[in-house]
Amino acid sequence: SAHRAKQAYGDYREGMELRAMRALAISNALPTAISNNELSLVFQPKVDAKTRHCLGVEALLRWQSEDLGWVGPDEFIPIAEQSDLIHELTQWVCRTALETIAVWRSQGVQTSLSVNFSASDLLESEVIVALHDVITRLGVPSDAFVIEVTENAMIEQSERVSDVLTELRALGFGISIDDYGTGFSSLLQLRSLHATELKVDRSFVMNLEHNPADQTIVHSTIEMAHRLGLSVVAEGVESEAAARLLSDWGCDTLQGYFFSKPRGADEFLTWYQAHEER
Ligand code: C2E
Ligand code: CA
Ligand code: CA
Ligand code: CA
């Protein structure tokens, strides 16, 4: 068993080394991802819970690396967040997504746009100034732009982040508390952050119709959020049964595979036309 312990430790070390090498490979390849045109965006629809009309999209980043193949955002975003690279990515996402929805809007597709921000993006005044410039130049109304920040990111840096969020609210942008329910904050703490929207984390929604505990949590979260004046989005809606429960409880907006997976820009337009003509 001394042998077995030694072998387990060896496996563990090997796992650690593999992970460290992968992280290193990612951080080496990522800085040139933008200039090599390796990044793209997909868009996932958000629909009105009552009418099921498409109200907006969330832009999600995709990376096809020449060296590493497809790398998921859950893997490369945390690595980008360890340096200033994340600001470049966020700016690229904002600019590219805003240009895309500006074209859609000129074709009569009036969707809002949600973009994921990292906590440190909110501490970079350049990111915010650049954002305001792009929005003004493209003529996208500021209330059609929603910044999603995870619950944990908001709480960790709460003092400075709350100043910046106040500034962004003054510019007219929407502020969404992403992945709500996975952290340890209370809605009371989040109230001072001037958010406009709360996104219930998909882990509470994906099996909603089969899980009474999730039902209790989600139903009461919707009621509390509404009392605090927040609009509620449920992400991870995978079935008609879940969509119906959420709509019965007054949830405002639904997002998930039941309606659509994230799609490239052209594919989204095709989906949108079929969906709105249904
Ligand atoms: P997120 O912000 O919570 O985004 C939602 C994730 O849930 C997306 O994964 C989406 O594809 C997935 N999803 C949507 N509907 C369903 C569903 O019905 N069921 C299930 N099981 N999953 C669903 P994705 O695209 O892999 O993104 C993962 C995370 O990576 C995002 O989580 C976000 O935290 C981060 N991320 C993605 N793009 C960006 C970005 O441009 N900037 C930053 N900072 N983070 C990003
Ligand atoms: Ca999000
Ligand atoms: Ca989320
Ligand atoms: Ca997430």
Side-chain angles (χ1 to χ4, degrees):
S1 70
H3 170 74
R4 217 184 281 166
K6 200 170 168 187
Q7 183 165 3
Y9 179 70
D11 290 350
Y12 166 80
R13 271 200 46 185
E14 211 168 284
M16 292 276 286
E17 276 162 22
L18 278 174
R19 233 167 306 152
M21 278 170 63
R22 171 86 176 162
L24 188 64
I26 289 172
S27 61
N28 283 336
L30 201 51
T32 52
I34 294 180
S35 54
N36 289 349
N37 284 318
E38 294 173 354
L39 297 178
S40 59
L41 290 179
V42 288
F43 300 90
Q44 188 175 37
K46 296 164 81 173
V47 307
D48 183 296
K50 292 260 141 37
T51 67
R52 301 209 172 166
H53 282 298
C54 177
L55 303 175
V57 293
E58 178 177 4
L60 295 158
L61 194 52
R62 295 290 178 263
W63 179 28
Q64 164 105 71
S65 161
E66 201 189 318
D67 302 332
L68 303 167
W70 282 104
V71 186
D74 279 330
E75 201 177 1
F76 70 79
I77 294 286
I79 293 170
E81 282 174 339
Q82 290 167 9
S83 73
D84 282 346
L85 201 56
I86 187 65
H87 307 316
E88 263 179 75
L89 294 183
T90 304
Q91 292 214 36
W92 185 87
V93 172
C94 287
R95 200 165 7 89
T96 309
L98 280 162
E99 281 166 2
T100 304
I101 74 147
V103 172
W104 294 348
R105 294 181 78 87
S106 73
Q107 299 169 353
V109 178
Q110 302 287 325
T111 67
S112 66
L113 171 69
S114 299
V115 170
N116 294 287
F117 272 53
S118 296
S120 67
D121 293 322
L122 295 176
L123 306 174
E124 278 304 287
S125 56
E126 280 163 51
V127 174
I128 290 154
V129 172
L131 182 64
H132 192 238
D133 287 350
V134 176
I135 286 192
T136 311
R137 178 167 58 80
L138 292 172
V140 174
S142 59
D143 63 0
F145 187 78
V146 180
I147 292 170
E148 296 192 3
V149 188
T150 64
E151 175 193 2
N152 282 331
M154 284 193 179
I155 291 308
E156 273 163 28
Q157 312 235 14
S158 67
E159 262 172 51
R160 290 189 58 199
V161 163
S162 103
D163 288 347
V164 178
L165 292 179
T166 307
E167 211 176 300
L168 291 168
R169 273 304 296 142
L171 292 171
F173 302 143
I175 311 283
S176 180
I177 302 163
D178 203 355
D179 299 352
Y180 181 73
T182 57
F184 297 98
S185 54
S186 67
L187 272 180
L188 218 55
Q189 270 176 296
L190 294 168
R191 185 172 58 170
S192 59
L193 292 173
H194 305 287
T196 52
E197 178 184 284
L198 187 126
K199 259 186 128 161
V200 180
D201 189 69
R202 61 185 183 274
S203 60
F204 299 99
V205 178
M206 278 159 47
N207 298 306
L208 191 66
E209 66 273 33
H210 306 296
N211 190 320
D214 286 349
Q215 291 173 21
T216 305
I217 292 166
V218 172
H219 191 172
S220 60
T221 300
I222 292 169
E223 293 197 340
M224 271 194 298
H226 280 165
R227 278 190 209 134
L228 295 171
L230 296 165
S231 173
V232 183
V233 182
E235 64 177 12
V237 178
E238 294 186 351
S239 68
E240 175 68 47
R244 209 166 287 162
L245 284 173
L246 290 158
S247 155
D248 287 347
W249 298 333
C251 186
D252 302 276
T253 310
L254 307 178
Q255 179 180 351
Y257 295 162
F258 176 65
F259 298 102
S260 171
K261 295 202 166 189
R263 295 161 187 269
D266 293 343
E267 240 195 292
F268 167 77
L269 277 183
T270 307
W271 174 89
Y272 181 91
Q273 257 116 33
H275 179 80
E276 294 298 310
E277 277 164 20
R278 101 210 99 105

